[in-house]
Amino acid sequence: DTSNNVKQNSTLLVVADVTKPIVNTTFNITSPLLNDIINFTGNITDGNGLLSANITYNMSGTLTKVNFTLSGTSAQISNATQITVAGGNVINFTMYVTDVSNNVKQNSTLITVRDNTFPVVNTTFNTTSPLVNSVINFTGNITDDVALLSANITYNMSGVLTKVNFTLSGTSAQVSNATLITGCTETCVINFTMYATDTSNNVKQNSTLLTVADVTAPVVNTTFNKTNPLVNDVINYTANITDGVGLLS
């Protein structure tokens, strides 16, 4: 004022901290199998100060939360988890980090459990001892724990390789193929193979060898050296025998 009296009024303003922590996460494996141990690690920094962190994941319907108390401006946290779900399941691993100003950073990663389980293939035949010109029906009942993609029936008859393809979906299917036995003589062997592939490209092969039945009797032609013998004559009885496959006795 005019008498040189001076009044001072001071106010301290603190610039608000609105910067979230920095969170970089890594995994020891990115395509785990059932029963593998997955290690989820986070390297965390903050310009002012860290307060806490949390790792959360849901597996087999159970939500797990692992809490950490932090201090300073940097930290590393980790958690080792055993995979208890089958191939094809997706697990969401999330890391939350909070600083002293209650800024929260979230970092989430989806991990898919790798499917390395082959489909199950059970095959049957309408006959296991087919005849020439008979029809053989090759049937497969197929299941997979995740999802089926395709199937194939392959057989070689008379030097001709035949492949029959099927497109599948879901976790179970039945496929079949009717084949006429032609151009294949008795006792010839036919290899019937069924392949099943799931959506993870796991392939199961099931092969069966079938032998065409031999039902043709041998051919026997007989002759005599005499057809009207006398007493004390010697008669010679001769047989000429043939068989399409092989003679035994």
Side-chain angles (χ1 to χ4, degrees):
D1 60 15
T2 54
S3 300
N4 288 324
N5 296 307
V6 179
K7 176 65 177 178
Q8 178 181 335
N9 194 327
S10 299
T11 302
L12 295 175
L13 292 180
V14 177
V15 179
D17 174 15
V18 293
T19 302
K20 297 179 181 180
I22 296 173
V23 182
N24 292 310
T25 59
T26 58
F27 293 85
N28 61 323
I29 45 178
T30 56
S31 186
L33 299 173
L34 175 65
N35 296 321
D36 276 353
I37 301 295
I38 191 166
N39 195 8
F40 184 31
T41 302
N43 291 294
I44 308 164
T45 58
D46 188 76
N48 291 315
L50 295 165
L51 178 65
S52 63
N54 168 278
I55 290 175
T56 298
Y57 60 90
N58 190 326
M59 188 160 44
S60 301
T62 301
L63 185 67
T64 301
K65 296 183 178 181
V66 184
N67 298 315
F68 303 85
T69 299
L70 307 179
S71 61
T73 58
S74 65
Q76 184 184 81
I77 63 172
S78 64
N79 181 68
T81 304
Q82 185 174 26
I83 302 300
T84 60
V85 292
N89 280 278
V90 178
I91 309 170
N92 186 357
F93 284 89
T94 301
M95 187 174 293
Y96 302 90
V97 178
T98 305
D99 65 14
V100 292
S101 300
N102 283 323
N103 297 304
V104 179
K105 176 65 176 180
Q106 174 182 339
N107 194 323
S108 296
T109 304
L110 295 176
I111 295 290
T112 301
V113 180
R114 181 156 50 98
D115 172 22
N116 68 338
T117 302
F118 296 106
V120 176
V121 181
N122 293 309
T123 58
T124 58
F125 294 87
N126 61 323
T127 176
T128 56
S129 186
L131 303 176
V132 173
N133 294 322
S134 66
V135 175
I136 190 163
N137 194 10
F138 184 31
T139 301
N141 291 293
I142 309 169
T143 60
D144 188 74
D145 60 341
V146 178
L148 294 166
L149 178 65
S150 63
N152 168 277
I153 291 175
T154 298
Y155 59 90
N156 190 326
M157 188 161 49
S158 304
V160 178
L161 185 68
T162 300
K163 296 182 178 182
V164 184
N165 297 314
F166 305 86
T167 299
L168 306 180
S169 61
T171 57
S172 65
Q174 183 181 86
V175 299
S176 64
N177 182 69
T179 303
L180 179 66
I181 305 299
T182 59
C184 185
T185 60
E186 294 176 346
T187 73
C188 77
V189 178
I190 309 171
N191 185 358
F192 283 87
T193 301
M194 185 172 294
Y195 302 89
T197 305
D198 65 16
T199 53
S200 300
N201 284 322
N202 298 305
V203 180
K204 176 65 176 180
Q205 174 182 337
N206 194 325
S207 297
T208 304
L209 295 176
L210 288 186
T211 301
V212 177
D214 174 14
V215 293
T216 302
V219 176
V220 181
N221 293 307
T222 59
T223 59
F224 293 88
N225 61 326
K226 295 181 180 181
T227 58
N228 192 19
L230 300 174
V231 175
N232 295 324
D233 278 353
V234 175
I235 190 166
N236 191 8
Y237 181 40
T238 303
N240 292 296
I241 309 168
T242 58
D243 188 76
V245 177
L247 295 167
L248 177 63
S249 62

